[in-house]
Amino acid sequence: MSNTRIERDSIGELQVPAEALYGAQTQRAVNNFPISHQRMPTQFIRALILAKAAAAKANVDLKQISEGQGKAIVEAAQGLLEGDFMQHFPVDIFQTGSGTSSNMNANEVLATLASRLLGEPVNPNDHVNCGQSSNDIIPTTIHVSAALALHEQTLPALLHLVEVIERKAVEVHPFIKTGRTHLMDAMPVRMSQVLEGWAQQLKANIGHLQGLLPSLQALAQGGTAVGTGVNAHPEFAARFSQQLSNLTQVHFTPGKNLFALIGSQDTAVAVSGQLKAIAVTLMKIANDLRWMNSGPLAGLGEIELEGLQPGSSIMPGKVNPVIPEATAMVAAQVIGNDSVITVAGQSGNFELNVMLPIIAQNLLSSLELLANSSRLLADKAIASFKVNEPKLKEALSRNPILVTALNPIIGYQKAAEIAKKAYQQGRPVIDVALEHTNLPRSQLEVLLDPEKLTAGGV
């Protein structure tokens, strides 16, 4: 028996693997784009299958396809989602810029399965793709897949990270450390204040991200080829969004202007920009953790991160801050993804953006990377680090910058002289201040108390 079969499309005949659920147009894409050998993201294909099911339900309601055809398409979609569906979607990320190859891949696979279920032909173009164009279903799928990733993965992970940081802040509140600006000794801060700063950065970013959800959940579907809605029922966009909302439990709506949603990818660019901002925040948190953990002897040694694995193949006993390092690499990748999306977003030529697949790939990659790394950072770095209190106290006792508290009494110039002598002599600032001012030790102890210098201990 031959391991291939002959399929036909508008261009002609070609061979397709005998067992493949897809047809000629998918095979042409496989032949034409052996570029990265990376398939479209799983989240994207899942959203595309869900969109096809929603379209079938809407088209049955509007009597654009038969009830039997629609039911078979929906059952085929459900069956795919319950199994290893990615094996049926071999098209490379680097394909036609509209994503037509991925759209036809879905149409052909669902048509094959639906035809088997119905016992009569279901056409990939006339039935599965009814009322649709690649030019509206692919932008729609980008929005849907990103919205689902945000609701199911990224936002829950970021909120978990905030919760863990705030819980750890309560735990470490009693500890006071040397603050640093320009990586140089500065006035003291509470450990809790450091962590609360991280939490607030994340909360602000989460708020900005949530503010983009209404735009992300507004869909291009119904615009078909160029935004005019040719060949789609006038009520299709509304019915489609309602059916998709029912399937996903996320509220989707028709876009206010379908020309804008097909001709541009401004919402994806905006979401990616906010993900970049979150990556910048995670990079700051990761680097703070690495610095505080540095040493343990020749570095700051203020905290001890959980030891998760040996840190060197040649230096026994070395343990590295692997989770913050991995998080920093994720941040770098997300920033890079945003650069790609920014360039791709500029490829909206007249009525269509023609870099849709790479926008989908990079946006979903950023969402997944941030979700996974946020949970790891929360659970394997922040929740479990230990504070090295003796190291904190030692550094504080010798921190000449505490003399800043004396400025209102002795003046900046005199305080600077005391600080320099304390540095030069390696002595506690209180001892040097006692020698160079008329202030009694009891008053100096009050003025230079690190706890009082952290905003009254609040």
Side-chain angles (χ1 to χ4, degrees), residues 45-59 65 69-70 73-78 80-81 89 100 102-108 110-111 124-125 127-134 136-138 140-141 221 236 240 243-244 247:
I45 299 300
R46 174 196 171 208
L48 181 56
I49 294 169
L50 286 168
K52 293 295 177 180
K57 286 174 174 283
N59 279 319
I65 60 176
Q69 291 165 341
I73 294 168
V74 171
E75 288 184 9
Q78 291 171 340
L80 277 176
L81 294 174
F89 294 87
T100 298
S102 287
N103 182 36
M104 285 309 303
N105 188 175
N107 290 335
E108 290 176 343
L110 288 168
N125 292 87
H127 302 138
V128 182
N129 199 59
C130 179
Q132 306 151 59
S133 164
S134 298
D136 63 355
I137 193 72
I138 298 301
T140 290
T141 302
Q221 204 61 52
F236 178 71
F240 172 88
Q243 293 291 354
L244 187 62
L247 286 171

Side-chain angles (χ1 to χ4, degrees), residues 374-390:
S374 292
R375 289 193 179 276
L376 286 174
L377 188 67
D379 297 338
K380 292 194 172 184
I382 293 170
S384 56
F385 78 71
K386 298 176 182 177
V387 177
N388 185 349
E389 188 175 13

